[in-house]
Amino acid sequence: MTRDRLVVIGGDAAGMSAASQARRLRGAGELEIIALERGRYTSYSACGIPYWLAGDVADPDDLIARAPEEFREKYQIDVRLGHEATELDLQRREIRVRDDAGERTLPFDQLMIATGAVPIRPPLPGIDLPGVHGVQTLDDGAAVQNSLRQDWQHAVVIGGGYIGLEMAEALTRRGLAVTIVEGADQLMSTMDSDMAERITEAARGIGITVRLGEPARAIEGTDRVRAVRTDAGTLPADLVVLGLGVRPNSGLARAAGIACGATGGIATDAGMRSTSHDGVWAAGDCVETFHRISRRPVHIALGTHANKQGRVAGTVIGGGYATFPGVVGTAITKVCEVEIARTGLSSKEVAAAGFAAVTATIESTTRAGYFPKAQSMLTKIIAERGSGRLLGAQIVGREQAAKRIDVLATALWNEMTVEEMSGMDLSYAPPFSPVWDPVLIAARKAAEKVATT
């Protein structure tokens, strides 16, 4: 009996989740699995890179969930590091692979694409100078770590999204003077402007210089980066980090004729199958997915989605049944002691999706106000006018604030109205919450607005 061969392109969350799950369902005698990873690591936490660079994580090995040896020995998956897929021939069912020894072709029966995302690199003069870093993989993080020198003084972060903020904090803690240059008039475009003001205050509060409405125009230097030029002047830079977000790394698939969607991500069905080619699956940051609130395709690069999608793909490849139900856009981060969280749609996204909405924003505390170390938090809820259905929520606050977003995400997932939410039975004790939790207060305020509009 001949074995099917599954080739997985990409050895991080989605790819190795798919490979492992397929192996659980189909033994080595039925299915040969080869995983190609162009870098040096498998199954690592890219989200942990800024915290390693800041010193919170002592060793990059701590970010690795499963080493290649474990996949080889426990799961009988042939992991090949330093192997980059350069071309797909879907008609011949072959992959062109490059490694240190040269190039060769690798046949496959089934294909799993998990090529992830790549940092957005605008066409700025000097963008390819040494010292300019995108931070998406553990190899990227290692490149930043290995390049840092004690005599360096200045870092510039281009873009004020999640990775930009996290890297700005990390480099500040490493002793560099950090400037964020952001072309928009606020940090974190996924947040509403009133919430973003608190984030800007937090960044400036730890010594980060924030320059809004000031896009980078050029990166200057000869042998390496020396400065970043904007319309307002030139900023010295020993190091530049790109924090402009990411795009799906779907070029390999697109070149092979695999269908991609409006977001640039690979188009898949609910079982993570390619919508255009049989025997091809894709998952993780290289795909587009379905937003359960806007009902539109989106590209949201998060390890949570990648792991779930990979497991779904692996289940289907292994002969089982599973579907990925979509996303609601829940995300969380922090700037030093200030926690930031959001779920659902922002006010701009609500308008773009065609909803009429009301908003309610309340200031409260993370614990009972009289309890020691009670911290302030700002909670914002967006609800559909008329129905009162929750459309989105945002939180900016200090310790114990941000994880409350999970209550709101659960309500959003289950299409609750703010009136229903205002009566939810949430836990209470003074060390954890005021007697009226901020989520309940915001929901009640939103319900009152819905009732009067």
Side-chain angles (χ1 to χ4, degrees), residues 303-328:
T304 50
H305 304 157
N307 277 289
K308 293 170 188 172
Q309 291 169 350
R311 185 176 178 86
V312 167
T315 299
V316 177
I317 292 169
Y321 176 79
T323 60
F324 183 73
V327 302
V328 295

Side-chain angles (χ1 to χ4, degrees), residues 67-88:
E69 293 75 21
E70 183 174 356
F71 287 112
R72 293 173 185 137
E73 295 169 8
K74 182 177 179 180
Y75 293 97
Q76 295 179 285
I77 296 170
D78 181 1
V79 177
R80 301 181 184 180
L81 300 181
H83 283 60
E84 181 179 7
T86 60
E87 185 179 354
L88 302 177

Side-chain angles (χ1 to χ4, degrees), residues 14-370:
M16 300 316 295
S17 290
S20 300
Q21 182 65 3
R23 172 60 75 230
R24 292 184 187 101
L25 297 176
R26 295 183 66 185
E30 297 180 47
L31 182 67
E32 178 189 10
I33 304 177
I34 299 172
L36 307 175
E37 169 53 47
R38 66 180 181 178
R40 297 177 295 156
Y41 308 95
T42 56
S43 294
Y44 56 86
S45 172
C47 299
I49 293 170
Y51 306 105
W52 165 42
L53 296 174
D56 296 320
V57 178
D59 192 308
D61 288 345
D62 295 336
L63 300 179
I64 299 172
R66 287 196 177 96
E69 293 75 21
E70 183 174 356
F71 287 112
R72 293 173 185 137
E73 295 169 8
K74 182 177 179 180
Y75 293 97
Q76 295 179 285
I77 296 170
D78 181 1
V79 177
R80 301 181 184 180
L81 300 181
H83 283 60
E84 181 179 7
T86 60
E87 185 179 354
L88 302 177
D89 187 330
L90 298 176
Q91 186 172 8
R92 296 172 63 91
R93 313 298 278 184
E94 290 180 346
I95 305 171
R96 190 76 178 167
V97 181
R98 179 171 56 226
D99 63 10
D100 290 341
E103 289 197 0
R104 64 187 60 81
T105 57
L106 178 67
F108 66 87
D109 299 298
Q110 300 178 75
L111 178 65
M112 173 70 200
I113 304 174
T115 44
V118 291
I120 293 172
R121 299 180 71 91
L124 295 176
I127 191 72
D128 295 320
L129 280 170
V132 180
H133 297 274
V135 183
Q136 182 65 20
T137 68
L138 199 51
D139 287 298
D140 294 337
V144 175
Q145 179 78 301
N146 294 336
S147 70
L148 286 172
R149 288 174 24 185
Q150 288 186 346
D151 60 333
W152 283 2
Q153 299 180 23
H154 301 281
V156 174
V157 176
I158 300 176
Y162 288 93
I163 191 65
L165 279 172
E166 291 166 0
M167 286 300 297
E169 179 186 344
L171 295 172
T172 298
R173 292 174 57 188
R174 292 291 294 265
L176 279 76
V178 179
T179 300
I180 297 175
V181 293
E182 169 57 63
D185 59 3
Q186 68 171 72
L187 296 178
M188 295 196 69
S189 61
T190 57
M191 302 287 285
D192 285 0
S193 59
D194 54 343
M195 307 298 281
E197 287 177 6
R198 295 287 182 98
I199 300 168
T200 302
E201 291 172 8
R204 288 173 172 157
I206 63 170
I208 298 170
T209 299
V210 180
R211 302 177 71 152
L212 301 175
E214 191 176 330
R217 298 302 184 188
I219 299 171
E220 299 179 346
T222 52
D223 57 328
R224 59 166 294 103
V225 62
R226 301 296 179 185
V228 173
R229 178 163 51 82
T230 73
D231 291 340
T234 300
L235 304 169
D238 300 301
L239 175 74
V240 171
V241 171
L242 302 178
L244 294 162
V246 299
R247 61 175 176 80
N249 188 13
S250 55
L252 182 70
R254 188 185 299 274
I258 295 172
C260 295
T263 68
I266 298 169
T268 65
D269 65 12
M272 307 312 301
R273 306 174 189 86
S274 164
T275 59
S276 62
H277 288 79
D278 291 337
V280 178
W281 285 259
D285 295 352
C286 63
V287 307
E288 72 174 17
T289 190
F290 173 72
H291 199 294
R292 292 168 62 94
I293 310 303
S294 71
R295 318 301 290 178
R296 294 178 175 181
V298 292
H299 176 250
I300 300 177
L302 285 174
T304 50
H305 304 157
N307 277 289
K308 293 170 188 172
Q309 291 169 350
R311 185 176 178 86
V312 167
T315 299
V316 177
I317 292 169
Y321 176 79
T323 60
F324 183 73
V327 302
V328 295
T330 308
I332 190 169
T333 189
K334 73 177 189 68
V335 178
C336 202
E337 301 303 322
V338 174
E339 302 176 355
I340 305 157
R342 56 100 68 199
T343 191
L345 305 178
S346 67
S347 292
K348 288 181 181 178
E349 291 166 337
V350 162
F355 292 107
V358 302
T359 64
T361 305
I362 64 104
E363 186 99 39
S364 187
T365 55
T366 55
R367 299 178 166 108
Y370 58 80

Side-chain angles (χ1 to χ4, degrees), residues 427-450:
S427 61
Y428 161 68
F432 305 103
S433 170
V435 66
W436 282 97
D437 190 90
V439 169
L440 299 179
I441 299 172
R444 189 180 72 230
K445 293 292 185 183
E448 290 170 358
K449 286 192 174 184
V450 169

Side-chain angles (χ1 to χ4, degrees), residues 374-425:
Q375 303 284 346
S376 65
M377 62 178 290
L378 194 65
T379 305
K380 183 171 190 175
I381 279 182
I382 306 171
E384 185 179 20
R385 185 177 297 168
S387 73
R389 180 167 65 103
L390 180 66
L391 297 176
Q394 300 168 35
I395 294 172
V396 179
R398 294 189 176 267
E399 185 182 8
Q400 295 189 356
K403 281 296 283 181
R404 281 179 166 88
I405 204 70
D406 290 340
V407 174
L408 292 153
T410 302
L412 191 69
W413 189 271
N414 289 285
E415 301 184 355
M416 292 179 69
T417 67
V418 286
E419 177 66 32
E420 291 170 332
M421 290 173 58
S422 65
M424 289 189 300
D425 184 11

